[in-house]
Structures are given as C-alpha cells and as structure tokens.
Amino acid sequence: MVWTIGKVKITKIVEMEMTGGTRFILPQAVPQEIQAMPWLIPQFASAEGRLTMSIHSWVVETPTQRIVVDTGLGNDKQGRGVPHWNGLDKPFLQDLANAGYPADSIDTVICTHLHVDHVGWNTRLVDSRWVPTFPIARYLFGRTEYEYWKTHSTDAAHAAVFADSVQPVIDAGVVDLVDSDAQISDEISLIPTPGHSPGHVALHIRSEGEEAVLSGDVAHHPCQMERLEWSSSFDTDPLQSIETRRQLFSRFAETPALLFGGHFGPGRIVRHGDAFRLVALP
C-alpha cells in the first residue's frame, strides 16, 4: 500500500481494520442509508450496508524527512472508552519496520489531532514507563489542539489518553507546537480544519506538480462526503465540521489531488450535486 506524489512516497500502515460496529461514530449511517449510496460498495462498505474503516498511520517520506502521520491506538494502553482498545498487542512496529521504516529511522511525527486513535503509538511502555516510540523524532502538535486538550481532558478516558500518549512526549522535550497553517517542509504544509476537534489540521502535500491531502478526521468515512451533514458523535463542533468538510472537499474536487483519510482512502474527490463522492484508486 504505497503511493507516490512527485518525489514524496506515502505508505499505509494498518493497525486495525473493521467492517460494521461503527454506529457509535456515525449514528446516521444506518445500513439502509449506506445501501442507498451504491458507489460506496465494495471498497468502503459491505453489500449489507456496513461501513468499512481502518485505524492506520500514513508514513510520508520526502527527500529530506521520514514522517509518521497519526499514530493509532498503541499497545498496552488502559482506560480507553472502547473496551477492546485496551491492552492491545499489535505488531504495528514490526509492520512499520517491514515496510522499511524502523522506529528509529522516523524523524518527525505529526498528529492531525489528539484523539485516542491518533496518538497511541506516540509512546510505548518500557519498564513501566511511557517513553517516546520514535527516539530521534520531533513530535509536531497543533498549538490550538494541544492547548485545548491540556485544559479539557477532564473525563477519565480523555485524561488517560493525555497522560500516557501526550504528556510523556511533552515531558521528554521532543514536542514542537506549531500553527495550524504551518509550513512543515518544502513539500508539506498544514491546513486548518477545525470541527472534529478545535485545532484539527490536514496536511497538504505538493511535489513536482502532484498533490495529496491527508485529511485526518475531517470525515471518518466517505459517506460523509455525500452526506456532509452527518457529523461524528465525537465532533467538538458538529456545525463547524460540516463547513470544514464543504470547504476542504470543494477546494480539491475535480483536481488530480489524492485524498488520504484518517480511516479510509486514498481516492479522488468528485462533485455530486451540492456534495461529493470519493473515487477509490484501482
């Protein structure tokens, strides 16, 4: 699962895949509604109308950097709101190494936002301590995102995530807080995409006339491209997330840019009336 954008290589490292069981994220995406969008089947949904999604990381290799974008759930974590996300023992780091990216070769980690399924492999458990998983990497967090969760992780689940997957890398001195429109490198800039979380960002990649967007959780599933009004149960500002989807997809629709979602993709965005669809790559 490797794609090239000019001189940039993007590799998908899957931690977990699922079909169905996603109603707690998108309660409006009931099977009959999904079956009414046959363009989703079979790449993004089953014939029975059950959503297909994954928890994964994107490795973005530029001529000068090796970047992991979003770090999944992580092993050995506890206190997660979804019971089967606790105490995982996944071969994520081995899969990463098998793809040619051992943890000690990653120099940058970018989290589109600081939710549980995007920060887990920021840290790993060593001798009962949470330490940075990627020993030479700088971790880039959006300043707005970090400041929000630093003061709003009041429920037990959010507090656990912050304590084991965010605070340890802060304490290790390896985090850089960046603006939501920061230029990361010659090829990569951030796009502010608030709604799902206050400081959510997408990545815009440009190289040799080709483009890609890593959109994080602007949409959890391509069905939200046709049904822009379907906001996730976990959106901090559901109305803002609708407007963010409309703006981002409008910007890149009918262009050669590839869209890499936080839980799906890649594909190309096409217009469909006042909304959009995703054309999966063959």
Side-chain angles (χ1 to χ4, degrees):
M1 290 183 283
V2 179
W3 299 267
T4 56
I5 308 296
K7 292 183 178 179
V8 177
K9 183 166 73 171
I10 301 175
T11 303
K12 185 178 185 180
I13 307 294
V14 175
E15 184 181 28
M16 185 182 296
E17 293 181 298
M18 63 216 81
T19 297
T22 50
R23 287 282 302 282
F24 76 102
I25 299 174
L26 291 171
Q28 294 161 301
V30 296
Q32 57 267 35
E33 291 281 357
I34 299 304
Q35 288 177 313
M37 293 183 269
W39 63 273
L40 292 171
I41 301 168
Q43 292 95 336
F44 305 119
S46 70
E48 296 75 29
R50 302 168 71 212
L51 302 183
T52 297
M53 299 172 67
S54 62
I55 296 173
H56 56 252
S57 298
W58 299 112
V59 181
V60 179
E61 184 176 9
T62 77
T64 59
Q65 290 177 289
R66 285 185 158 199
I67 304 168
V68 171
V69 179
D70 291 332
T71 62
L73 291 163
N75 282 352
D76 303 308
K77 308 289 170 141
Q78 299 295 332
R80 291 348 189 201
V82 179
H84 67 267
W85 289 355
N86 289 298
L88 293 178
D89 183 19
K90 297 287 186 180
F92 178 82
L93 292 181
Q94 187 59 56
D95 292 343
L96 198 63
N98 291 345
Y101 300 103
D104 60 5
S105 74
I106 300 299
D107 53 60
T108 308
V109 175
I110 301 176
C111 295
T112 59
H113 59 301
L114 299 181
H115 282 178
V116 56
D117 53 334
H118 294 260
V119 299
W121 280 105
N122 285 354
T123 61
R124 60 190 181 93
L125 194 60
V126 178
D127 296 329
S128 301
R129 292 180 56 247
W130 295 108
V131 302
T133 298
F134 305 98
I136 70 167
R138 301 298 300 180
Y139 288 66
L140 306 187
F141 299 159
R143 182 176 289 104
T144 300
E145 184 76 359
Y146 172 73
E147 294 295 340
Y148 178 85
W149 290 113
K150 184 175 69 172
T151 57
H152 285 76
S153 294
T154 52
D155 66 87
H158 277 117
V161 172
F162 200 88
D164 61 34
S165 298
V166 178
Q167 192 62 50
V169 290
I170 293 285
D171 293 343
V174 297
V175 170
D176 297 318
L177 300 180
V178 298
D179 293 337
S180 296
D181 60 353
Q183 187 77 32
I184 304 302
S185 68
D186 290 343
E187 300 86 7
I188 302 171
S189 57
L190 302 183
I191 301 172
T193 48
H196 180 56
S197 65
H200 190 288
V201 295
L203 281 74
H204 186 195
I205 299 173
R206 287 171 283 194
S207 178
E208 297 189 325
E210 299 182 4
E211 294 184 75
V213 180
L214 277 61
S215 60
D217 283 357
V218 169
H220 282 76
H221 188 272
C223 67
Q224 291 174 277
M225 301 176 71
E226 181 163 330
R227 301 299 297 270
L228 296 168
E229 73 278 12
W230 287 1
S231 290
S232 163
S233 304
F234 299 99
D235 286 356
T236 303
D237 187 338
L239 293 180
Q240 178 63 66
S241 73
I242 294 170
E243 183 57 28
T244 291
R245 278 192 289 281
R246 189 181 308 278
Q247 290 181 5
L248 188 72
F249 299 149
S250 292
R251 177 175 173 180
F252 293 102
E254 311 296 347
T255 76
L258 296 183
L259 179 72
F260 295 79
H263 299 285
F264 63 88
R268 287 190 169 86
I269 307 167
V270 297
R271 294 189 181 276
H272 178 69
D274 293 331
F276 308 90
R277 291 179 174 179
L278 189 68
V279 178
L281 298 186

